[in-house]
Amino acid sequence: MRASVRHAWLTLACLAATVSAQTLNDLRNDAATPGDVTTYGMGWGQQRHTPLAQITPANIGRLVPVWNYSLDNSANASSQPLIIGGTMYITTHSHTMAVDAVTGRQKWRTPVELPADINGFLCCGIHSRGAAALDGVLYRTTIDAHVLAIDMKTGKPLWKSKAADYKGGYSMTHAPLIAGGVLITGISGGEYGARGFITGWDLKTGQEKWKLYTTAMPGEPGGDTWKPGMAATGGAPTWLTGTYDPELDLVYWGTGNGGPWNAAMRGGDSLYIASVLAIKPSTGQKVWHFQFSPGDPYDYDGTNELVLAELPIDGKPTKVLMQANRNGFFYVIDRSTGKFISGTQFARKVNWASGIDPKTGRPIDTPMTAAVRKTETQTDFIEVWPSAFGGKNWMPMSFDPGRKLAFFNTIDLGMKVKYVQQTRPGGPNWWLGLELGGFEGPADGNRGALVAWDPVAKRKVWEVLTKAPQWAGVLSTASGLVFTGTQTGQFKAFDAGSGRELWSFQTGSGISGLPIAWEHQGRQYITVTSGAATVYGALAGDPELANVPAGSSVWTFALLP
């Protein structure tokens, strides 16, 4: 065999091996191997940080789009693509796609079969946040509460399993998690009074291996924290992807609001709403829990991303879990034990709690919240900060392990509510137990900010105020850049040290996607999805978003040669 032919054959063989050699070890090392992006969050710990440093604050002015791919819809493009062996995998509510990562050329596009009446049963948006992948198989969820396995080479469906009945208010929009050899998913539907759960699936067959319900029934630990009969329709949805520590063999998964929002109707702490659960991935056994907002009268959830890191706590390297919670406080928890370390206000205005008890981690109620917990029916509206949108919503933060800083987008908005008694309506109807009287913005007109936060010093390092809150995920780089997007369409880069804006590009629609960084043949790329159709945009009456066009697409950027 001639040397040139042999070299070409070896190159193809190596490429084929790269494509097919995706293993659990590849998932474990995702954060340290930036050529591919094999997990949601760019690593099991969801730090959304890249060690790539080719794009820097000095040369960011040369960053330009190299291709754009239409998603052929006007739904919310809140997805994170995966990059495996030179192919990009993208999910929307209606399709799963494979695209050449360097050229943007489509390889295959497989539709998701959905019932004709699905739109009448959805609570909070039509979208898909991403996928999981292992051994040549792509896994995703669907808005009619199914889990799919798809062949990554052909796009051919391999199996489909039903997680719940969408007509009961259930749906799924999150990316699955592969941990401990099990495919793990959550569920949406808390606003309809659906009962939350987490499910473990067999990767090969799609058979259910275990199911962990997230509200405690009578006779179970925590069952006495509910009024009789309320836990069965008590919410605690699990609608965002969890994280995984393979050394501890623990998965961390957040739970959402109680059903209804009216806390006095439910009674007590309503375990395990608005919490983080640490579970064994092989069995679904709950090892420990921590509740961020006991009773949760304000839809503060606990589903926001649970970022894993090692931080110096009292001078000792400690495995921690971090969350910027919707309730307006930034939490640091020992993820080995569930022990509370700190909870510090990051939202600009909080009036539902005066702080977090440093010993127990429980919020310290203001008189307003103390009254809300005891009163099922009110005659007057009260003004609560943060609103149900939270001090931060689902859009995930990044964490730079070198600088030990978290970067995230915040929301500064209050709401007027009045609590009322409400019988569960059933069907596709919200069960809140309150009347919403509208939203109130801050006096300075800035409804959001990009924040840099020091979780050890428990303080804000810098913030960049924005008229409209930003609904995109955040990406940080080893070279000192922070990327995120605006609801008015700008994809932006900031200096990690100072918060100074360094670069901006208009993508044509609002951004609620999750940026990623990757490389191919020595060239670094940045990819983000554009196309915003958010619940905030529909309900908040934000004048900044009045003329933002719809239309979803994928943008990929690189430096000019």
Side-chain angles (χ1 to χ4, degrees):
M1 184 181 295
R2 287 182 358 190
S4 59
V5 176
R6 182 174 182 273
H7 176 74
W9 182 86
L10 286 173
T11 299
L12 289 173
C14 289
L15 178 60
T18 300
V19 172
S20 62
Q22 190 199 1
T23 65
L24 283 172
N25 202 47
D26 295 325
L27 304 187
R28 180 172 186 156
N29 295 327
D30 189 24
T33 52
D36 284 353
V37 176
T38 62
T39 60
Y40 180 85
M42 298 173 61
W44 272 334
Q46 289 193 33
Q47 292 188 358
R48 297 189 179 275
H49 176 81
T50 179
L52 294 174
Q54 186 180 90
I55 303 169
T56 70
N59 63 25
I60 187 69
R62 292 168 42 214
L63 191 67
V64 296
V66 293
W67 58 259
N68 172 253
Y69 172 77
S70 173
L71 295 175
D72 195 26
N73 67 60
S74 296
N76 198 21
S78 55
S79 187
Q80 182 215 290
L82 299 180
I83 312 280
I84 298 169
T87 299
M88 180 180 295
Y89 298 92
I90 309 157
T91 63
T92 67
H93 73 286
S94 60
H95 290 83
T96 311
M97 291 145 284
V99 174
D100 186 293
V102 176
T103 67
R105 184 177 179 179
Q106 180 176 290
K107 294 185 174 183
W108 53 256
R109 183 172 182 262
T110 302
V112 176
E113 296 181 2
L114 295 170
D117 62 350
I118 184 64
N119 288 350
F121 291 90
L122 291 175
C123 164
C124 303
I126 301 174
H127 52 141
S128 170
R129 292 188 169 94
L134 183 67
D135 293 335
V137 180
L138 195 72
Y139 303 91
R140 61 160 297 167
T141 63
T142 66
I143 56 176
D144 65 338
H146 283 75
V147 185
L148 300 180
I150 300 168
D151 185 283
M152 292 171 65
K153 291 182 179 179
T154 65
K156 179 183 177 181
L158 300 174
W159 56 255
K160 179 179 182 179
S161 295
K162 181 178 178 180
D165 185 352
Y166 71 93
K167 291 186 178 180
Y170 289 103
S171 61
M172 303 171 89
T173 60
H174 62 290
L177 172 69
I178 297 172
V182 178
L183 183 73
I184 304 175
T185 61
I187 200 74
S188 302
E191 271 62 48
Y192 292 164
R195 187 186 184 198
F197 55 84
I198 306 167
T199 309
W201 308 89
D202 186 282
L203 287 157
K204 299 297 184 183
T205 67
Q207 293 295 307
E208 181 180 306
K209 295 174 72 70
W210 54 260
K211 179 177 285 186
L212 173 66
Y213 283 99
T214 52
T215 63
M217 298 294 280
E220 298 175 349
D224 58 351
T225 63
W226 294 85
K227 286 186 175 180
M230 295 301 293
T233 53
T238 49
W239 53 274
L240 284 178
T241 309
T243 45
Y244 177 50
D245 183 334
E247 295 177 357
L248 296 174
D249 192 32
L250 288 177
V251 164
Y252 308 94
W253 209 288
T255 67
N257 59 278
W261 292 4
N262 189 322
M265 290 179 63
R266 287 182 272 108
D269 288 353
S270 301
L271 289 169
Y272 297 92
I273 71 167
S275 301
V276 51
L277 307 182
I279 61 178
K280 288 291 184 182
S282 59
T283 63
Q285 175 196 357
K286 182 173 70 69
V287 177
W288 59 257
H289 80 278
F290 178 86
Q291 191 171 42
F292 300 104
S293 302
D296 185 21
Y298 307 121
D299 187 33
Y300 285 155
D301 278 14
T303 54
N304 286 2
E305 71 285 358
L306 301 157
V307 177
L308 309 186
E310 186 174 282
L311 295 179
I313 303 298
D314 297 328
K316 177 183 176 182
T318 305
K319 280 174 164 280
V320 305
L321 172 155
M322 299 179 290
Q323 188 188 72
N325 192 275
R326 274 166 66 161
N327 68 17
F329 293 89
F330 191 101
Y331 289 84
V332 180
I333 297 169
D334 186 318
R335 70 175 185 267
S336 300
T337 63
K339 180 183 177 182
F340 172 77
I341 295 174
S342 65
T344 311
Q345 180 179 330
F346 69 85
R348 292 170 66 199
K349 183 175 180 179
V350 173
N351 74 349
W352 75 276
S354 59
I356 304 295
D357 186 296
K359 293 183 179 180
T360 66
R362 290 183 68 92
I364 303 168
D365 288 347
T366 60
M368 176 188 72
T369 297
V372 163
R373 295 191 189 280
K374 296 183 294 185
T375 310
E376 289 188 21
T377 302
Q378 295 176 317
T379 56
D380 299 314
F381 283 94
I382 58 173
E383 187 171 302
V384 182
W385 291 74
S387 73
F389 289 118
K392 175 189 171 298
N393 208 276
W394 77 273
M395 47 279 197
M397 73 168 83
S398 68
F399 177 73
D400 184 327
R403 294 172 177 83
K404 290 187 169 47
L405 292 178
F407 305 96
F408 51 92
N409 287 315
T410 66
I411 308 164
D412 294 298
L413 206 63
M415 65 178 178
K416 292 183 177 180
V417 293
K418 180 171 65 175
Y419 291 87
V420 298
Q421 289 185 333
Q422 180 190 10
T423 302
R424 188 186 180 204
N429 297 288
W430 282 22
W431 187 35
L432 306 183
L434 57 77
E435 295 178 14
L436 183 60
F439 297 95
E440 294 292 323
D444 64 5
N446 295 307
R447 291 185 169 197
L450 173 64
V451 168
W453 183 268
D454 185 329
V456 178
K458 297 176 286 189
R459 66 180 183 90
K460 193 179 297 181
V461 177
W462 52 257
E463 69 178 352
V464 179
L465 298 175
T466 58
K467 290 295 183 184
Q470 294 168 165
W471 226 258
V474 182
L475 166 73
S476 58
T477 75
S479 61
L481 292 170
V482 177
F483 288 90
T484 193
T486 73
Q487 292 196 80
T488 51
Q490 292 90 6
F491 188 44
K492 294 188 174 187
F494 299 83
D495 185 282
S498 66
R500 182 168 64 94
E501 183 179 322
L502 302 174
W503 175 87
S504 179
F505 178 85
Q506 175 56 251
T507 63
S509 183
I511 300 176
S512 58
L514 313 177
I516 58 173
W518 51 283
E519 69 174 355
H520 181 77
Q521 295 183 351
R523 192 181 193 192
Q524 181 181 344
Y525 296 85
I526 306 290
T527 295
V528 69
T529 54
S530 171
T534 63
V535 174
Y536 172 86
L539 299 181
D542 195 322
E544 294 293 308
L545 308 185
N547 295 305
V548 179
S552 299
S553 63
V554 183
W555 289 88
T556 291
F557 302 84
L559 294 176
L560 279 171

